[in-house]
Amino acid sequence: MYKKFKSFIYNLLTPIIKMYKYLNWRLYLFTTTEIKLIIGAGPTNYKGWFSTDIVTLDVTKESDFKKYFSKKKINKVLAEHVLEHLNDRELKLMTVNIYQYSNDSVNIRIAVPDGYHSNQKYIDTVKPGGTGEGAFDHKNLFTVDTLSKIFADAGFKAYPVEYWDENRKFHQGYINDENGYIIRSFINDKRNSDGHPNYTSLIVDFRKR
């Protein structure tokens, strides 16, 4: 009963949320020279970035991209622990849309759970159907290789930032820079306060070839 009521309220408010977000978008356009987009932001808000969620920007729909970015293309994209919730078809549509509606110098920063992580407990937590929060909805567990291929197929080149390789060796190059703040990273996640990479993300920057 509660879930049905919650769904009813959500559907009732969706048109209002869309209108509110579009007005915010118009204000954002008026006050910025660079389009910096957060995909699947939820409650996340960073200064200078435009936060979206599926209600306002469905990354699989070109019509949504056209609504926002037909006149001014995207400069930067940030998505932290979002893509693992998309299936292969949705990922392909997303990368094609981003390619079309971003400028030539775009930087796309993606952070997802890392399928090459050396700790099996970590893998069991984040894998599709795993024990971690939200893992019941995970469709993919990416590695630096599989994630890079998805974007390569759409015309992007991968620049790995933080990742485990196929030999279970950890590579750490992430810093808090202007390309996007990642909470679940080696330097920002409190679970790594002992100096060990207990909980890290696969973080990759992508740029057009």
Side-chain angles (χ1 to χ4, degrees):
M1 177 65 77
Y2 173 74
K3 288 184 177 180
K4 287 183 178 180
F5 178 74
K6 186 177 179 181
S7 179
F8 171 76
I9 295 298
Y10 181 80
N11 290 333
L12 191 68
L13 293 177
T14 294
I16 299 173
I17 295 170
K18 285 186 174 182
M19 179 58 69
Y20 174 75
K21 202 67 179 182
Y22 188 72
L23 291 174
N24 280 349
W25 167 249
R26 300 306 302 177
L27 178 62
Y28 178 80
L29 275 181
F30 184 73
T31 58
T32 190
T33 57
E34 187 178 59
I35 303 302
K36 298 192 287 186
L37 177 70
I38 305 178
I39 292 172
T44 301
N45 283 286
Y46 298 140
K47 185 178 180 181
W49 292 77
F50 184 67
S51 297
T52 68
D53 224 319
I54 192 168
V55 173
T56 49
L57 179 68
D58 184 336
V59 294
T60 69
K61 294 181 178 178
E62 184 187 353
S63 58
D64 280 12
F65 278 84
K66 189 174 182 180
K67 175 182 177 182
Y68 288 105
F69 312 115
S70 58
K71 294 183 179 179
K72 198 169 186 179
K73 293 194 172 184
I74 305 164
N75 298 90
K76 292 179 181 177
V77 176
L78 173 63
E80 179 176 351
H81 286 231
V82 176
L83 270 63
E84 65 270 23
H85 295 275
L86 303 179
N87 62 37
D88 293 346
R89 173 184 169 276
E90 292 166 335
L91 288 164
K92 183 175 182 179
L93 290 170
M94 180 200 72
T95 54
V96 169
N97 285 331
I98 292 177
Y99 191 95
Q100 181 175 351
Y101 288 92
S102 60
N103 66 24
D104 290 340
S105 60
V106 66
N107 190 89
I108 304 164
R109 173 160 290 174
I110 303 297
V112 291
D114 197 327
Y116 277 153
H117 199 288
S118 64
N119 189 322
Q120 187 59 44
K121 185 177 179 181
Y122 171 99
I123 298 296
D124 291 340
T125 300
V126 302
K127 67 183 181 181
T131 59
E133 183 180 355
F136 70 92
D137 187 52
H138 288 184
K139 308 295 192 305
N140 280 286
L141 179 55
F142 301 103
T143 67
V144 65
D145 301 312
T146 59
L147 184 65
S148 297
K149 184 180 186 309
I150 288 167
F151 279 84
D153 288 345
F156 295 98
K157 183 177 179 180
Y159 296 86
V161 178
E162 173 175 300
Y163 64 101
W164 294 78
D165 65 26
E166 61 183 353
N167 298 313
R168 303 305 190 264
K169 180 182 177 182
F170 182 57
H171 301 260
Q172 205 297 105
Y174 172 76
I175 59 174
N176 295 323
D177 62 22
E178 61 181 11
N179 284 328
Y181 180 82
I182 303 297
I183 298 171
R184 283 158 285 194
S185 59
F186 177 69
I187 64 173
N188 291 328
D189 198 302
K190 293 180 180 179
R191 287 169 285 190
N192 306 316
S193 59
D194 62 359
H196 297 288
N198 302 307
Y199 196 98
T200 61
S201 291
L202 165 59
I203 304 173
V204 184
D205 285 352
F206 295 97
R207 300 172 197 134
K208 291 182 178 180
R209 288 200 293 263

